[in-house]
Amino acid sequence: MRRHLRYLILLLILLFVAVNETVNEFRTTSWDRPLWVRVYAVNGDGRGTTDKYIDGLESRDFKPIEEFINREAQRHGVSIDAIQIEYDGRLQSHPPQPPSGQNIAENIWWSLKFRAWAMRRAWSSDNDVGDIELFVSYYDTATTQSLRHSIGLQRGLIALINAFADPAYSGSNQVVIAHELMHTLGARDKYDARSMPLHPQGFAEPFNRPRYPQARAEIMGGRIPLSPGEARMPESLGEVVVGIYTAAEVNWPVDVQ
Ligand SMILES: [Zn+2]
């Protein structure tokens, strides 16, 4: 009996989630008003040094992301500011971490848990939730050398970003946050299994002659292609653009000349 009840509750939650997400997707594809993006910080490893880093974060640490998206949206024909970012400080509760493996069932289960967590958080909060919510989980570089992957969900309009609590990484953190933000808007990855950007869609200037080296990265290609087998991470959003393939995926009025 209890099992049936749990099953029923789960089904009701899923139904609610599906209705909610359909409404959300309509809101984020029209570009007739700026989307309100809220950023929250989470102490990912519970260390005092990470707390200190988060204490020092301000709205202006996330402004370059807003400027990047708005600059690129305008370049692709959006006549208004596409987004407006607001930093809303630290959260005490932690989003569930994604599974480390590629197991599809585990990943689906995680994405449901993450969406349920974000919804419950929004309900218990007095503030408006905004259109898109980004949860940035920070880790001390002294104890964390490599981060778990970050994930942006279009269904749910939320993203979990794992980032380094170190000013030296603020540029690359911004690149990762912008990449996941683009995922929430419907953009897809444009790199292969070896993390090499796909041609032409993952290149900033796919039709340059010669093709290599490229000067900048495409936001969903992730890295700057230097040669057919070599690419490097951009150091900041100054080295990144949104290409026409990604622009079309997020419904920007791509200018075809
Ligand atoms: Zn991605």
Side-chain angles (χ1 to χ4, degrees), residues 3-233:
R3 247 172 109 171
H4 282 122
L5 189 64
R6 270 168 64 182
Y7 190 58
L8 183 70
I9 290 173
L10 185 63
L11 281 180
L12 282 173
I13 291 172
L14 290 181
L15 181 71
F16 181 83
V17 166
V19 170
N20 195 41
E21 284 167 0
T22 308
V23 173
N24 282 342
E25 275 182 41
F26 277 118
R27 282 194 309 178
T28 53
T29 50
S30 50
W31 303 110
D32 51 5
R33 64 172 179 86
L35 292 176
W36 191 12
V37 180
R38 303 191 84 147
V39 181
Y40 304 89
V42 176
N43 184 335
D45 54 15
R47 288 173 61 86
T49 43
T50 306
D51 260 339
K52 240 189 174 146
Y53 177 83
I54 294 175
D55 285 344
L57 287 176
E58 296 174 63
S59 270
R60 67 154 184 252
D61 292 298
F62 302 95
K63 273 285 164 204
I65 302 162
E66 178 183 294
E67 285 160 9
F68 165 76
I69 301 274
N70 290 341
R71 179 193 81 206
E72 292 299 294
Q74 258 154 43
R75 202 168 63 81
H76 287 292
V78 176
S79 54
I80 56 158
D81 278 347
I83 65 161
Q84 209 177 324
I85 284 198
E86 185 176 301
Y87 173 56
D88 283 297
R90 178 196 325 237
L91 290 183
Q92 292 310 327
S93 66
H94 288 229
Q97 276 291 325
S100 45
Q102 296 295 317
N103 185 302
I104 291 173
E106 275 180 18
N107 275 291
I108 292 175
W109 180 234
W110 170 78
S111 101
L112 286 174
K113 276 197 301 190
F114 181 33
R115 281 138 76 182
W117 175 85
M119 237 181 261
R120 210 175 58 189
R121 196 210 66 76
W123 283 337
S124 59
S125 162
D126 296 332
N127 297 326
D128 291 337
V129 291
D131 298 303
I132 297 172
E133 294 189 299
L134 309 177
F135 303 97
V136 188
S137 191
Y138 288 97
Y139 293 83
D140 187 349
T141 44
T143 46
T144 301
Q145 273 78 49
S146 70
L147 296 164
R148 284 212 199 190
H149 54 289
S150 301
I151 301 184
L153 300 175
Q154 185 180 19
R155 302 198 157 270
L157 297 170
I158 49 175
L160 170 62
I161 293 112
N162 289 316
F164 283 122
D166 184 334
Y169 286 88
S170 74
S172 58
N173 285 345
Q174 286 160 5
V175 173
V176 177
I177 294 170
H179 175 100
E180 301 306 332
L181 173 57
M182 293 301 285
H183 270 312
T184 69
L185 297 169
R188 285 186 291 254
D189 282 325
K190 295 172 179 64
Y191 54 83
D192 66 16
R194 300 168 306 137
S195 296
M196 290 297 295
L198 294 169
H199 188 269
Q201 63 271 40
F203 279 54
E205 291 166 304
F207 307 114
N208 265 8
R209 293 282 175 269
R211 188 184 291 174
Y212 301 99
Q214 295 269 317
R216 289 175 294 178
E218 201 285 326
I219 185 70
M220 305 313 286
R223 302 206 284 163
I224 304 171
L226 301 175
S227 72
E230 203 189 346
R232 73 166 174 86
M233 281 294 294

